[in-house]
Amino acid sequence: MPRVDTWIPMDDGVRLAASVFLPEGDGPWPALLEALPYRKDDLHAATLAGHARWAGEFGYASCRVDVRGTGSSEGLLHDEYTDRELRDLEAVVAWLAAEPWCTGSVGMFGTSWGGFNSLQVAMRRPPALRAICSIYASDDRYADDVHYFGGMLKQLDLVDWPLYMVASDALPPVPALAGPDWRERWRERVEDVEPWPFIWFAHQRFDDYWRHGSLATDYGAIEAATMLVTGWADGYTNVALRAMERMRCPRRLLAGPWGHVSPRSGRPGPNLDLAPQMARWFDRWLKGERNGVDDEPTITVFMRRPTPPAADLAVHRGEWWHERGWPVERLREVAQPLDRMTATPSTETLAVRPDVGWTAWISCAGSPPWDQPLDQRPDEAHSLVHDGEPLDADLAILGHPRARLRIASSAPVASVSVKLCDVHPDGTSQLVTRGLLNLTHRRSREHPEPMPVGSFEDVEVELEVTSWIFEPGHRVRLDVAGTDWPNAWPPPTPVTLTLDRSASSLVLPVLGGPSPEPAPRLEILPPPPPRGHDPSVVRVVSTDRARRETVAETAYGAPSPAGDGAPAMADRYEGLVGVSLDDPGRAWVEASARYEIAFPEATVAARARWRIDSDATTYRIALDLETTEDGEPRWSRRWERTFPRDLQ
């Protein structure tokens, strides 16, 4: 489909760069909008093929916009999901609806950032926005994003997305589109913007900063028909059933086995082409077609079955189940007392090892080095482990398992990690889902309070939403530890936890068999081809016994030649996170991200590097940003910041 590059004016004079694809023939057509900060004209130019497909195959005017201050758009971007960004996108929706080739009906969609802002713009109810599809996003920016997990600062994420956005946002606009002042606009991006992560470190509790843009504050705000897509191997899953229960607009959920990658090609499968599923949703609500969407179950979930775990698992065993709504009458909560799941004494202490958690790795697995969970037994050697009896029939769960724990801590600041696992007959322990709780947040994440040292407290840890079918001969296992490293920052001091099993239990959301509802149409694709070893990818976890430190190292990225309208480019990401085994307060991040783009006018590059260190009381950040043109230095910045640990 022909591509038209245009400018969309904002009320303050800033222009957003847009690429629009129109179907062949005479309009008008409904319009679809995707808005991202990921540089549509170079670094992510390949994604424009999807917009051409929306125009050519499905009959939609499809528009891709660079968010203000990124890519080819003008202005500056000072944080993620700002009020200014959302007002801009409301204006874009109105602009699309008013174009002569548009029917006046607009939809939004997007993955990750685009999934977030689709929800956020829909909460503002622009009149022309009739439907959205939010893919891999969250309803809770504080608890279910890259910042905090269970009230603890995320550590491993800090070597990747937060840093590479510092570098990406310091690249210039495309010179051919920006015009002769492109260098001045480049300078402004480097010199006039502060790194976003400093804001996140300043807000370590749930407050109004995190309420902004979080659907969980008002599920009723959205009136547009909303389709949600989640993947069980992704980090953005918890919105799934919460939103389906609490939203009041027309809604649908598709939850597959995938990581933070396309359902068409990402792992683990089974894979499907998401576009036809989205098209049926948009056809119903933007074109008014009575295509049967209203008559189908609103929830389609892949119920996973135990599968030998692997870092790069290609296909997960399981089956598709369908529900008319949520919750369902067949769902019941089943509590299993922990003292019946172990023969050890009812009260047991655990000296917390700071590096426990690495077999689960990051909960936003997509592609190497961001791998899927491994066999959990190495971590279980340093955890309190509780096993049920071997099952004699399938046990299906769907929802949020919960751990009710009576626990005491030897320190005022501590965390508790809970993992639900499936123990295979050969002893393999496969992660089903996990949860983490900063124990100072046990009553309130807005107003945390220290743990009373040595006194038992009743706490509840909600695990992340999941689907699973435990099979005959398998066991249900619950692991309790004091860290989820390197996913989350360890506690500030050495700590011992004491668990009273006689007053603790595991609560499972048990679903009594598949629904009799008729299945929607799903066209499952063949499994993805095997992946060869990529020498540019590094993923190593190692312990230095002499230094008493454990580190996790990652690296990826490589050059890409010019093609499909994009210039030659290169990117590289390298990161190291570590923790002291003797002093968990001493943890660190060391990372770099670099981009290079060969425009006809100049070859430009931006590199961001930082080192983050902690002790028991403080986070210390040193960040360097460097830009070059044709290999010569242009502008650079250096920041040094300290932030007190706020009951972290």
Side-chain angles (χ1 to χ4, degrees):
M1 290 294 102
R3 166 183 170 180
V4 177
D5 291 322
T6 188
W7 298 101
I8 303 178
M10 299 295 105
D11 58 5
D12 60 353
V14 165
R15 299 180 302 168
L16 302 189
S19 295
V20 178
F21 296 81
L22 299 179
E24 297 286 354
D26 297 328
W29 309 277
L32 297 179
L33 168 64
E34 182 182 32
L36 296 169
Y38 300 136
R39 301 188 63 93
K40 66 181 178 64
D41 296 310
D42 38 63
L43 295 182
H44 291 263
T47 62
L48 292 178
H51 289 270
R53 184 184 181 195
W54 278 109
E57 185 175 339
F58 299 111
Y60 285 89
S62 192
C63 177
R64 165 72 165 84
V65 168
D66 278 340
V67 168
R68 167 188 295 251
T70 68
S72 301
S73 287
E74 297 175 348
L76 298 174
L77 184 62
H78 296 283
D79 196 4
E80 52 182 0
Y81 319 128
T82 63
D83 181 72
R84 179 71 256 187
E85 174 190 338
L86 302 183
R87 285 191 285 130
D88 285 350
L89 298 184
E90 287 186 274
V92 174
V93 168
W95 182 89
L96 289 169
E99 287 297 292
W101 40 256
C102 181
T103 62
S105 292
V106 179
M108 278 190 73
F109 72 94
T111 298
S112 198
W113 186 299
F116 275 84
N117 64 25
S118 292
L119 292 171
Q120 293 160 354
V121 173
M123 290 177 70
R124 301 165 81 98
R125 300 179 182 175
L129 186 64
R130 310 289 171 79
I132 66 171
C133 181
S134 173
I135 307 163
Y136 305 155
S138 168
D139 57 346
D140 188 331
R141 293 184 52 228
Y142 177 74
D144 293 321
D145 201 351
V146 300
H147 316 97
Y148 295 89
F149 179 44
M152 299 296 288
L153 176 68
K154 285 198 167 184
Q155 187 175 8
L156 187 61
D157 283 272
L158 292 171
V159 307
D160 198 59
W161 186 83
L163 184 62
Y164 81 58
M165 288 307 297
V166 175
S168 175
D169 289 348
L171 290 168
V174 176
L177 297 175
D181 68 341
W182 68 272
R183 288 185 181 87
E184 176 60 20
R185 290 173 54 191
W186 184 11
R187 182 196 63 77
E188 291 173 349
R189 290 185 178 186
V190 177
E191 295 188 348
D192 296 349
V193 175
E194 292 288 292
W196 313 341
F198 298 160
I199 305 172
W200 311 335
F201 274 85
H203 293 268
Q204 296 176 34
R205 307 179 181 197
F206 181 71
D207 58 16
D208 286 343
Y209 172 78
W210 301 110
R211 290 185 182 92
H212 167 76
S214 290
L215 176 62
T217 62
D218 184 5
Y219 289 101
I222 295 182
E223 295 179 345
T226 300
M227 179 176 176
L228 302 172
V229 179
T230 62
W232 300 126
D234 185 39
Y236 300 125
T237 57
N238 292 320
V239 63
L241 297 178
R242 290 194 304 227
M244 290 301 295
E245 179 178 1
R246 295 164 186 165
M247 294 177 74
R248 293 295 173 261
C249 59
R251 54 203 181 277
R252 182 191 175 194
L253 169 66
L254 175 61
W258 319 293
H260 202 70
V261 282
S262 167
R264 183 170 186 162
S265 57
R267 297 181 178 217
N271 300 99
L272 57 79
D273 186 356
L274 183 59
Q277 299 294 321
M278 295 169 59
R280 295 187 68 235
W281 186 253
F282 286 133
D283 288 349
R284 170 65 185 91
W285 302 107
L286 300 184
K287 295 181 178 179
E289 294 182 5
R290 292 288 180 177
N291 55 9
V293 166
D294 295 3
D295 303 321
E296 296 173 354
T298 59
I299 296 176
T300 298
V301 297
F302 186 75
M303 296 292 291
R304 297 177 294 169
R305 289 184 176 271
T307 306
D312 195 24
L313 182 65
V315 177
H316 211 301
R317 295 178 58 241
E319 59 215 47
W320 295 96
W321 286 17
H322 315 278
E323 302 296 340
R324 181 61 61 179
W326 195 260
V328 296
E329 293 183 358
R330 299 176 357 269
L331 186 75
R332 70 185 193 281
E333 290 193 337
V334 177
Q336 301 186 29
L338 295 193
D339 60 358
R340 297 182 188 175
M341 299 176 69
T342 179
T344 56
S346 61
T347 300
E348 188 170 359
T349 61
L350 175 70
V352 173
R353 180 171 166 133
D355 61 353
V356 170
W358 65 269
T359 58
W361 202 243
I362 189 171
S363 63
C364 201
S367 55
W370 312 120
D371 292 340
Q372 298 167 50
L374 306 173
D375 190 329
Q376 299 296 293
R377 283 178 287 185
D379 279 332
E380 289 170 347
H382 306 285
S383 307
L384 301 179
V385 178
H386 312 84
D387 284 347
E389 295 296 323
L391 297 169
D392 55 13
D394 280 353
L395 175 68
I397 64 171
L398 179 61
H400 292 270
R402 291 175 291 130
R404 295 171 176 164
L405 306 176
R406 179 163 292 174
I407 199 164
S409 169
S410 66
V413 180
S415 60
V416 59
S417 168
V418 178
K419 295 178 184 175
L420 177 65
C421 299
D422 182 315
V423 183
H424 298 216
D426 67 358
T428 299
S429 181
Q430 184 171 15
L431 182 67
V432 176
T433 187
R434 75 216 288 194
L436 181 72
L437 177 64
N438 179 343
L439 289 170
T440 70
H441 289 223
R442 64 196 180 279
R443 294 190 180 93
S444 169
R445 59 182 182 170
E446 294 94 338
H447 307 289
E449 54 187 284
M451 281 284 285
V453 174
S455 299
F456 280 101
E457 292 271 302
D458 291 319
V459 303
E460 182 170 284
V461 183
E462 181 182 79
L463 280 64
E464 295 186 303
V465 69
T466 192
S467 75
W468 200 267
I469 300 174
F470 295 89
E471 295 181 335
H474 290 237
R475 296 173 183 261
V476 175
R477 172 173 287 176
L478 186 75
D479 299 334
V480 178
T483 58
D484 187 350
W485 184 90
N487 187 43
W489 214 275
T493 62
V495 61
T496 296
L497 299 178
T498 303
L499 179 66
D500 182 355
R501 294 192 180 94
S502 66
S504 303
S505 61
L506 166 65
V507 182
L508 294 177
V510 176
L511 193 58
S515 168
E517 296 287 349
R521 295 173 292 176
L522 293 177
E523 297 180 7
I524 304 302
L525 302 175
R531 280 180 175 153
H533 172 64
D534 183 347
S536 71
V537 174
V538 176
R539 180 205 166 181
V540 178
V541 179
S542 61
T543 297
D544 186 323
R545 298 183 183 277
R547 294 185 177 183
R548 299 280 297 158
E549 297 174 350
T550 298
V551 296
E553 181 181 4
T554 59
Y556 66 106
S560 57
D564 296 326
M569 300 173 289
D571 59 356
R572 185 67 179 171
Y573 318 91
E574 298 178 345
L576 187 76
V577 299
V579 62
S580 164
L581 297 182
D582 297 323
D583 177 12
R586 187 170 68 84
W588 61 93
V589 169
E590 189 170 330
S592 68
R594 184 180 188 276
Y595 295 98
E596 182 178 281
I597 306 175
F599 294 121
E601 296 83 356
T603 295
V604 302
R607 183 184 185 189
R609 295 176 293 174
W610 66 7
R611 170 86 186 198
I612 306 173
D613 289 279
S614 72
D615 55 27
T617 63
T618 307
Y619 298 113
R620 298 180 300 278
I621 306 174
L623 171 58
D624 289 285
L625 175 63
E626 303 162 348
T627 61
T628 63
E629 180 180 345
D630 294 329
E632 296 297 321
R634 265 295 178 183
W635 300 279
S636 63
R637 301 282 305 277
R638 178 174 176 81
W639 297 268
E640 294 185 5
R641 298 286 189 274
T642 60
F643 298 91
R645 295 180 70 158
D646 183 8
L647 294 180
Q648 290 270 328

